Amino acid sequence: MAILPLVIAPDPRLKTKSSHVEMVDDSLRQLVRDMFDTMYQEKGIGLAAVQVGILKRLLIADVTWRDEGGPGKQYALVNPEILESSEDPHIYKEGCLSFPEQFADVERPASVRVRYLDLDGKQQEETFEGLLATCVQHEIDHLNGIVFVDHISLAKRDMILRKLKKMKKQGYFDHDHSQCGHDHSHDHEHVHGEHCGHDHVI
């Protein structure tokens, strides 16, 4: 089990487009395992590789594990590409592991069809709906250098980034919260992969 350090905004890596994965090999599969360990540790339901400092087009998701009390239906998408998006929108209160304690309502298509490589290097196409669709879109955004606050007003985005800069300056992210004795159980209740935990506004 390996817990990887998270990239916390503001950080230029989060605004950088990730590179195409050239080969699905054992090292990539190990990265996926480490990302799942990290995501579960942080109570998230989705995570993009850039959020652990790896600028590769890879994301993971598991939107059921909290309900099941352990790993649920795991998804690992390599080089994901959205082929179709539904016209009907859904709104979710999104957060992000890279934006701790920050949340905002974001409107996205209710379902998307995605082409990707699985961990055997085989091409797949799948339609994702509901929370999973939102999570996958959130993480694909990360791979394109887009973060969830890019979907909200400039004023609210600036407020969130100022708050995170202040938290960084105060050293809030410089230690392991699990060892500090403080209650941070609320930190990522609704975040994506960050965590992709959303409070449904549907």
Side-chain angles (χ1 to χ4, degrees), residues 19-146:
S19 301
H20 188 84
V21 174
E22 298 297 336
M23 183 181 297
V24 178
D25 55 14
D26 286 343
S27 64
L28 189 80
R29 287 185 278 271
Q30 182 59 55
L31 173 59
V32 166
R33 288 191 289 271
D34 292 344
M35 286 174 63
F36 272 114
D37 287 344
T38 303
M39 188 189 77
Y40 293 138
Q41 172 75 20
E42 296 291 337
K43 301 182 175 64
I45 61 173
L47 191 66
V50 61
Q51 292 181 270
V52 292
I54 308 296
L55 289 167
K56 294 294 183 183
R57 299 188 74 79
L58 167 68
L59 69 86
I60 62 167
D62 179 353
V63 301
T64 62
W65 75 273
R66 285 192 255 185
D67 294 333
E68 297 180 7
K73 174 63 173 174
Q74 295 183 335
Y75 291 89
L77 279 58
V78 181
N79 298 331
E81 175 189 1
I82 295 176
L83 302 177
E84 298 176 24
S85 300
S86 65
E87 294 184 4
D88 53 317
H90 276 183
I91 297 174
Y92 294 84
K93 175 171 265 184
E94 294 190 17
C96 182
L97 287 184
S98 294
F99 290 75
E101 301 181 32
Q102 312 305 313
F103 310 97
D105 289 344
V106 176
E107 180 180 294
R108 300 182 189 270
S111 67
V112 288
R113 186 157 187 81
V114 179
R115 177 189 296 145
Y116 63 95
L117 298 180
D118 63 20
L119 292 182
D120 293 320
K122 296 178 181 178
Q123 183 173 289
Q124 306 288 346
E125 284 188 20
E126 192 162 353
T127 297
F128 300 107
E129 300 179 339
L131 177 58
L132 184 55
T134 296
C135 183
V136 167
Q137 290 174 83
H138 177 113
E139 305 311 334
I140 289 177
D141 267 0
H142 271 302
L143 305 183
N144 292 323
I146 299 168

Side-chain angles (χ1 to χ4, degrees), residues 142-187:
H142 271 302
L143 305 183
N144 292 323
I146 299 168
V147 291
F148 84 103
V149 296
D150 291 333
H151 294 282
I152 63 177
S153 71
L154 181 60
K156 187 162 187 179
R157 178 166 70 246
D158 287 347
M159 179 185 71
I160 286 174
L161 290 172
R162 283 198 303 270
K163 197 177 298 184
L164 287 172
K165 283 180 183 177
K166 183 177 180 181
M167 292 169 75
K168 273 189 165 183
K169 188 174 181 180
Q170 293 173 341
Y172 184 87
F173 308 116
D174 294 342
H175 69 291
D176 181 358
H177 291 311
S178 66
Q179 303 298 321
C180 70
H182 298 146
D183 179 14
H184 297 286
S185 60
H186 63 289
D187 286 2

